[in-house]
Amino acid sequence: MDTNFEDALKELEIIVKSMESGQGKLEDALANYEKGVKLASICETRLKEAKTKLEKIAVSSNGEVSKEEDM
């Protein structure tokens, strides 16, 4: 599953709202929970990837931006 952060988060929000409503069958709630766990994992992975990229970016005192591998 190659889902981006925004799409995974949007789908996860829909699942949470659906589950919070208390409507629907138990089987559907379990399937939604399972899917929600996978989507949450995708979001966490994408956030970690973004954090790693941000940590590699440095700004010098004169405002020049460089990546760690350029240093």
Side-chain angles (χ1 to χ4, degrees):
M1 183 182 277
D2 192 29
T3 304
N4 67 41
F5 176 82
E6 291 79 8
D7 291 342
L9 185 60
K10 181 186 269 185
E11 194 169 349
L12 184 56
E13 289 172 346
I14 291 168
I15 288 171
V16 169
K17 285 179 184 177
S18 169
M19 292 180 75
E20 286 178 342
S21 75
Q23 303 289 320
K25 298 179 181 179
L26 177 61
E27 294 82 16
D28 294 337
L30 291 172
N32 281 336
Y33 180 81
E34 184 177 344
K35 188 171 185 176
V37 168
K38 290 177 184 177
L39 290 166
S41 177
I42 290 169
C43 289
E44 183 178 359
T45 299
R46 299 295 181 262
L47 286 173
K48 285 181 182 179
E49 290 169 353
K51 181 181 178 187
T52 300
K53 287 181 182 181
L54 286 173
E55 288 173 345
K56 291 181 179 181
I57 297 173
V59 179
S60 68
S61 59
N62 65 357
E64 189 174 312
V65 177
S66 61
K67 291 184 181 176
E68 190 175 88
E69 58 238 12
D70 296 339
M71 299 175 161

